[in-house]
Amino acid sequence: MALNNLDTLYRQVIMDHYKNPRNKGALEQDSVTVDMNNPTCGDRIQLQLDIEDGIVKNAKFQGEGCSISMASASMMTQAIKGMEVEAAVKMSENFSEMMLGHDVDSEEMGDIEALQGVSKFPARIKCATLAWKAMEKGVHEE
């Protein structure tokens, strides 16, 4: 597939997650709640995680921000549901590597790979990693 077509596809995936966010809302049950913001651009997120027996049973987010931060939160919550905490943290570490421009296993990343182009825009990396940093903080508080 030509690079332009791939960029277009990735943009479509990001915009779909931004316009139709998955897991946006609040959890009913007791959960780990993490509030984080990116003061440089005003993105803010509240992430809620339902962690039971070392498994992320559910994840929801609320907040506001740019298309990158909100799409990233949507993709991340989709990806980590049902995952062992250690695997979710490992995925977050791989995402951080991808944001630094390093190659990662695209099989493991799925839709999240659509955000790899953000690595070319250093000012936007914090937008993309906000939800991931919130998740890492949350699982360590659990």
Side-chain angles (χ1 to χ4, degrees):
M1 186 183 284
L3 192 56
N4 256 357
N5 291 347
L6 196 56
D7 283 346
T8 301
L9 175 67
Y10 284 169
R11 265 197 297 280
Q12 288 171 346
V13 169
I14 291 167
M15 289 312 293
D16 180 51
H17 275 273
Y18 175 61
K19 291 178 179 174
N20 308 295
R22 283 55 149 192
N23 308 304
K24 191 157 188 181
L27 291 175
E28 301 288 319
Q29 68 274 25
D30 282 343
S31 58
V32 176
T33 302
V34 178
D35 291 293
M36 289 191 100
N37 66 45
N38 178 356
T40 55
C41 69
D43 294 337
R44 55 175 200 78
I45 186 172
Q46 179 182 74
L47 178 67
Q48 291 182 294
L49 301 170
D50 177 18
I51 300 171
E52 199 176 300
D53 299 325
I55 306 283
V56 179
K57 296 286 189 189
N58 204 350
K60 294 250 187 199
F61 75 97
Q62 298 180 85
E64 54 194 37
C66 68
S67 58
I68 300 290
S69 68
M70 295 295 104
S72 185
S74 174
M75 291 179 197
M76 188 266 305
T77 55
Q78 280 286 96
I80 66 169
K81 275 201 216 175
M83 219 179 235
E84 290 184 358
V85 168
E86 295 84 30
V89 169
K90 179 71 176 145
M91 181 179 254
S92 184
E93 290 166 357
N94 286 341
F95 183 76
S96 292
E97 286 296 308
M98 187 175 79
M99 289 296 101
L100 294 173
H102 301 146
D103 286 334
V104 296
D105 182 0
S106 55
E107 287 282 310
E108 178 194 306
M109 299 310 274
D111 269 3
I112 297 161
E113 188 182 8
L115 292 165
Q116 74 181 4
V118 173
S119 67
K120 296 178 199 132
F121 305 97
R124 304 305 299 274
I125 292 172
K126 285 184 180 174
C127 304
T129 58
L130 183 64
W132 296 87
K133 297 299 178 202
M135 183 268 290
E136 285 186 27
K137 184 177 179 195
V139 298
H140 292 305
E141 286 177 4
E142 203 274 320

